[in-house]
Amino acid sequence: MIIFNPHQMFSSSIISSMASPKWVSLTFILSMFMPLPISSNQSLSPEPELAQIPVSFLEHAKRPELFDRMVSIRRKIHENPELCYEEFETSKLIRAELDRLGIPYRYPLAETGVVGVVGTGGPPFVAIRADMDALAMQESVEWEHKSKFAGKMHGCGHDGHVAMLLGAASLLQEYRHVLQGTVVLVFQPAEEGGAGAKKMIENGALEHVSAIFGLHLASDHPIGSVASRPGPLLAASGFFEALISGKGGHAAIPQHTIDPILAASNVIVSLQHLVSREADPLDSQVVTVGKFQGGGAFNVIPDSVTIGGTFRAFSKDSFFQLKERIEEVITRQASVQRCNATVLFNEIAKPFYPATINDKNLHEHFQKVAGDLLGSQNVLEKKPLMGAEDFSFYQEVIPGYYFFLGMKNDSQGQFKPMHSPYFRINEDVLPYGAAFHASLATRYLLENQPKSTSTSDQKTESTSTKGNFRDEL
């Protein structure tokens, strides 16, 4: 196992790089990615040489050796799903693969997280991220590599996400000598409600990083396509729970009781007015009650009822306005029915997720890379969704971009949506994810080089570095 101190590794390289920037002949660098003929895909990139990078990465990712390894990794993880902050074996597998590739890393971050680095160790720094955790649900798909643990399943594709990022790590390590900066590989725990991204940030995962990319498999888009948009993509999300207390008694003499079930019913109806009558119709919001627990007999009015639900919005102001009004409606509506109510948002156990908002400049970068890789006709616009993603925590700190990678193939039967017990992955998508990660990062480094202090220094460094790269390769 290779463990590095980011302060030691990054600091010296940053200082030397800033003092004397290394400029390499772009033609030479790009020639390293051009052993294959240029694809006939319609390109969005004005530079044909840059357009070749994603094509070459995809061809390399489809090689049997790398493809089979990604499939094997994905299946091992799928058989051994681990819930949030319990991803110890998954993390161990990731570290073993990074060791095999000779990629240094930090561990642990956020309990089970891993952060590896490929490249010069100097600026610019760009991150690519995969989440590792599974869901607490029983798998209903019968196949050779079904989950070995009852009540646990990779029903959201995170096993595929890890496999694709490790595939990208292999591609990047193969071309590490021509990377013009540093790619940070972020393997993150606890996306499913545990806000693992927030803890990763607190543990220094984004130190020196200027941009981050993330993806999610999508069963509603065909393989060979991607979908995203600039600006708001996924909503901010929070959860609430309320205990409504009354006075129980026999159902035949309700006048001697204070009925919390009736109070809770009125509360639920009133909560729906927050969106239908208080929200701007053009400002998408959701309030949903999904939990109602109370009573256990047909003829007994219980002492209390518990309800719970989620609220979502794209605007931060709208989100916190909803939070405030949810508490007011529950407590005051319960009071009308002579009941008491206590509302808990429990942000420690279930942290609020911010909205996932894609950086507009990174959207342009994504469109170029995606167009070069798949053809512009396969780069789709994604409508905003009210689902949530803790990738949004990264986007609150640095520019970030999140997109969906299609995997639907009608010839392979129906692919169920994520969080379904029948969810499955089309493994043919793995090379696409690996190529996207590697291409987005490599092109970002090439297009965001530190500015040279002088023209003469630039020429000197370009000639010197070019020679060094030729010697190494």
Side-chain angles (χ1 to χ4, degrees), residues 12 67 113 163 174 187 210 327 402:
S12 60
F67 174 72
E174 183 177 353
F187 297 91
S210 57
E327 185 168 12
Y402 195 76

Side-chain angles (χ1 to χ4, degrees), residues 10-194:
F10 292 158
S11 298
S12 60
S13 56
I14 287 174
I15 292 172
S16 63
S17 178
M18 287 182 174
S20 180
K22 295 183 177 181
W23 293 83
V24 180
S25 168
L26 183 61
T27 302
F28 171 72
I29 295 171
L30 295 173
S31 70
M32 300 303 300
F33 294 94
M34 299 179 65
L36 302 165
I38 295 178
S39 167
S40 60
N41 283 346
Q42 180 182 353
S43 171
L44 292 178
S45 173
E47 306 90 349
E49 294 87 358
L50 285 175
Q52 182 61 32
I53 292 176
V55 177
S56 295
F57 272 138
L58 181 58
E59 294 292 341
H60 281 63
K62 287 182 176 181
R63 289 174 176 173
E65 180 181 357
L66 182 53
F67 174 72
D68 292 344
R69 189 159 193 90
M70 286 191 287
V71 169
S72 175
I73 289 169
R74 181 255 159 173
R75 291 179 176 180
K76 287 179 183 177
I77 297 173
H78 190 89
E79 290 177 353
N80 301 278
E82 297 172 300
L83 304 182
C84 65
Y85 297 117
E86 298 176 0
E87 309 92 336
F88 296 103
E89 291 302 314
T90 305
S91 178
K92 183 178 179 181
L93 183 153
I94 291 167
R95 299 193 315 272
E97 186 67 10
L98 294 178
D99 284 336
R100 187 187 71 83
L101 294 170
I103 295 176
Y105 56 83
R106 287 178 61 196
Y107 170 82
L109 291 84
E111 300 187 35
T112 59
V114 181
V115 172
V117 291
V118 184
T120 66
F125 291 83
V126 64
I128 44 181
R129 168 266 201 174
D131 35 15
M132 305 187 295
D133 54 327
L135 292 165
M137 61 191 299
Q138 182 65 38
E139 182 170 9
S140 297
V141 181
E142 297 297 334
W143 68 306
E144 183 181 358
H145 300 282
K146 183 178 180 179
S147 170
K148 296 178 180 179
F149 296 89
K152 297 181 182 180
M153 175 195 177
H154 268 290
C156 200
H158 296 184
D159 50 344
H161 296 175
V162 172
M164 290 186 291
L165 187 54
L166 286 172
S170 180
L171 294 172
L172 292 166
Q173 182 70 343
E174 183 177 353
Y175 287 103
R176 63 190 180 279
H177 297 302
V178 293
L179 291 176
Q180 293 303 288
T182 306
V183 181
V184 179
L185 311 169
V186 178
F187 297 91
Q188 173 214 304
E191 187 278 325
E192 299 288 355

